[in-house]
Amino acid sequence: MEPVAEADGAWRALLDVRHQWWSDHPVFLAAYANPTLRTLFPFATHGTLRFFRTPWSWPDTPVHDLPLISCGGPPYQVISAGYERLIGLAESAEEAADLVVANLPPAR
C-alpha cells in the first residue's frame, strides 16, 4: 500500500471507512474539525486516536512524539506520547482536541 502523501488524504481515508468503530466517533470528528490537527496524520488503534507528523509506510513507523486521545469517554483522556503521563481529562471531544494542540511539541 502506498503511503498517503497529504494529511488531509489520510483523514479522508480514515473517516470514509464506515464499518469501523471510529467512523462517526465524536473525537475523530472534533480532531478533523481542528485546523491544527487536520495537518497531522491520524491513526486509529486500540481505542485511541494518535497523531503523527509524517505518514505511515508499513513496516516503517513514524516517530511517535505527539499526544494521543483515549476515545473511551467522556471524559476523554489526553495522554502524552509513550503513555508517560496523563495530560488531562476532557469533558468534550472538542476540548480533547484543544488539549492535544496545546501540548504539541515543536516540530523537529
Side-chain angles (χ1 to χ4, degrees):
M1 172 183 240
E2 289 295 315
V4 178
E6 298 294 327
D8 192 61
W11 276 106
R12 282 193 312 264
L14 186 74
L15 294 174
D16 284 348
V17 179
R18 289 286 165 212
H19 65 280
Q20 296 294 338
W21 64 269
W22 62 77
S23 46
D24 288 321
H25 197 285
V27 165
F28 285 74
L29 299 175
Y32 181 70
N34 184 294
T36 301
L37 296 183
R38 198 176 319 124
T39 66
L40 301 174
F41 290 84
F43 187 74
T45 183
H46 298 91
T48 65
L49 174 56
R50 296 173 185 242
F51 304 94
F52 297 93
R53 294 190 194 274
T54 59
W56 278 86
S57 177
W58 189 260
D60 299 325
T61 56
V63 173
H64 183 228
D65 63 347
L66 305 179
L68 61 99
I69 302 171
S70 176
C71 298
Y76 301 105
Q77 295 181 2
V78 177
I79 304 165
S80 66
Y83 295 92
E84 293 174 358
R85 66 183 173 87
L86 176 66
I87 292 171
L89 297 175
E91 290 301 320
S92 70
E94 293 78 13
E95 183 182 337
D98 291 342
L99 267 174
V100 170
V101 171
N103 287 277
L104 288 174
R108 297 179 192 192

